[in-house]
Amino acid sequence: MTLGVIMLVHNAFERAEQMARHWTDAGCPVVIHVDSNVAATDYDRFVQVLGGIETLRFSKRHRCEWGTWEMVVATQDAATLMLEEFADVSHVYLASGACLPLRPLAELCEYLDRHPDTDFIESATTADVPWTVGGLDRERFTLRFPFAWKKHRRIFDGFVRAQQLVRYKRSIPEGLVPHMGSQWWCLTRQTLDAILRDRNRDRYDRYFRQVWIPDESYYQTLTRLHARRVESRSLTLSKFDFQGKPHIFFDDHLELLQRSGCFVARKIWRHAGLLYRNFPRPADPERAKAEPRTGTVDRLFSHAVERRTLGRPGLYMQSRFPNRESQNSFAAAPYAVLQGFDDIFPAFQPWLTKQTGAAVHGRLFAKDRAHFADDSTVYRGGISDNARLRDYNGSMFLTNLIWNARDLHHCFQFGPTDSQDIRWTVAKDTNASIWVVSGAWSVPLFLSGRSAGEMRTEAARLQQIEAKFLKSLRSPNARARIHITTLSDFIEAPMETLQTIIDDIAGHKGNALAEVPKMADLTGLPEFLQDLKNQGMHPFLTGDITEQSTQPAAGTARRKPYVISRK
């Protein structure tokens, strides 16, 4: 068999010359299309440099704008010239000036010899492809696109919206099932000739002239009408990022490309001298019959896209920061938010530190200052306890604190008296474990010794703030591990909840607790809450507290606390 190569060139002529000589030296006829946007002097110089090669031709030039019909016309004219000038060509390979053969061309030709009737072209229906970026899948075949997207973006978008508004829809030619795929293909002579000589070609060309990005759908669709066997993959390694832009291979990718086993790769940086010196690789009998496998490359690029769009937990960069959804978690490591426990247990912070060995902070978002675990004014990473600095961006304050001490498991106390700017941050963070004893804000009010009438307004304010926080936690958008129990349920059975908290923070099942930390004296709390009700303020978040429930037997749990939500 003889392999013919069509090259599409618009810049980097020194590399395009190098590749053209590589293909022709290996015995491959080459037809080159040079974009008419290229200056005449540059084109003439390029033609002169390659003028002495007998098996090389230049096709008619077209002005090729990305995503427009001229890209297809350029390949049609080049393919027609190839089939007319080189009768012995059995396969035609479409490449660009930025393509680089990775394996000897003899191995590619031998591979095509083993698949004489196979067309290698990525070709999938619009319902099956997840790669399109920009929201136009089926619509690229049913709307009209007379304007170049890159050159006339606003006109392009406005015309699309107008068609959508009036529900315009043009019909697809009978017998065609639109397919999409990579622009870079390798077709048999029979299939390519059948596409170019199709009796309905004029009708198909008129239709695809108004399709968006037709170079990724014209041959992909028509090949399905004429091919004897389609292998829906490209023999050219070409990767795209999450925005649909092609990845560029640099010298750093040398080892990756060596392991890919692919025959050709694009897009190669014009100054990647190391790649151009090392490829194509020398012939290797053991590798000669190896199938091109892109699995390793696919996994690496998939990981790179994930890292670029989601980043590392708790680490932010300019490209992701404005988009709150483009991250896999806000904080760099797991942490716990504890609401109400320090109201019930006066010495809860030192007790939990002793039980878990974690960095147990006080009220990080208290109105006066941030109360760090070591009670310092400046924490790791130069983080100040100043409330105004903290509240300038509470989310970044928290994520920076955890990032700079990510070797520790952090816990901090939180409550309705604190700054509430971070409630959605912690609710949506998959690294957060949130434990709430709802209504616990009533305990400090009760212990203040002031009457229910004096505390009524403050109690209503705190309950309203806590209700908003609980609404955030119960939102479908909340992704933290959330545990909510009422004050009445908790004080009846504190042991199980505290044991679960310690197990969660320690990361394993710890020893069973012999006793809970010393609880505040809640004798008289039910009467205080009833007085609030009598004043017209109903503390519904506390649950139904009785005098008996405020005096649990030491070390016992009368009933399991009710967990409202657990994720």
Side-chain angles (χ1 to χ4, degrees), residues 13-14 29 48 52 78 86 96 124 132 137 187 236 266 276 398 420 515 526:
F13 294 104
E14 70 284 358
Q48 184 178 5
F86 305 102
S96 76
T132 54
D137 294 324
L187 301 179
T236 299
R266 90 172 293 273
Y276 283 100
L398 177 60
Q420 298 292 306
E515 60 181 2

Side-chain angles (χ1 to χ4, degrees), residues 98-118:
C99 286
L100 175 64
L102 304 180
R103 294 168 59 176
L105 291 180
E107 293 183 8
L108 173 57
C109 292
E110 183 180 344
Y111 184 81
L112 296 176
D113 266 338
R114 297 199 300 271
H115 305 84
D117 298 324
T118 301

Side-chain angles (χ1 to χ4, degrees), residues 79-96:
T80 300
L81 183 60
M82 173 69 73
L83 299 182
E84 290 176 352
E85 292 285 317
F86 305 102
D88 58 340
V89 166
S90 60
H91 290 76
V92 177
Y93 199 107
L94 180 62
S96 76

Side-chain angles (χ1 to χ4, degrees), residues 13 25 28 107 161 169 218-219 239 275 289 304 330-331 396 511 539:
F13 294 104
D25 288 347
C28 297
E107 293 183 8
R161 284 193 295 269
K169 185 177 181 180
Y218 181 82
Y219 293 98
K239 305 301 296 182
L275 298 184
K289 295 186 178 182
F330 288 99
M396 288 299 100
N511 297 325

Side-chain angles (χ1 to χ4, degrees), residues 401-417:
L401 181 144
I402 295 174
W403 173 263
N404 284 288
R406 56 192 179 278
D407 54 317
L408 301 174
H409 193 116
H410 293 267
C411 315
F412 68 93
Q413 319 305 312
F414 190 64
T417 59

Side-chain angles (χ1 to χ4, degrees), residues 37 63 65-66 147-155:
N37 287 303
R63 187 176 299 276
E65 300 289 344
W66 182 87
F147 305 105
W149 181 77
K150 282 194 172 183
K151 195 177 239 184
H152 307 288
R153 176 80 63 89
R154 297 179 68 178
I155 299 176

Side-chain angles (χ1 to χ4, degrees), residues 237 239 255-257 259-261 293-303:
L237 175 63
K239 305 301 296 182
E255 184 179 352
L256 175 68
L257 294 176
R259 286 187 287 141
S260 71
R293 300 293 182 188
T294 62
T296 302
V297 180
D298 292 339
R299 285 191 296 273
L300 183 62
F301 274 84
S302 176
H303 179 69

Side-chain angles (χ1 to χ4, degrees), residues 444-485:
L445 299 184
F446 163 67
L447 295 176
S448 70
R450 301 174 68 181
S451 68
E454 294 176 291
M455 292 288 100
R456 177 185 178 280
T457 301
E458 180 65 5
R461 186 183 72 87
L462 296 179
Q463 180 164 252
Q464 185 179 30
I465 294 173
E466 184 173 69
K468 289 182 179 180
F469 182 50
L470 296 181
K471 184 178 181 180
S472 302
L473 299 183
R474 293 183 174 116
S475 166
N477 296 321
R479 293 178 289 185
R481 298 178 298 281
I482 300 167
H483 313 257
I484 304 172
T485 185

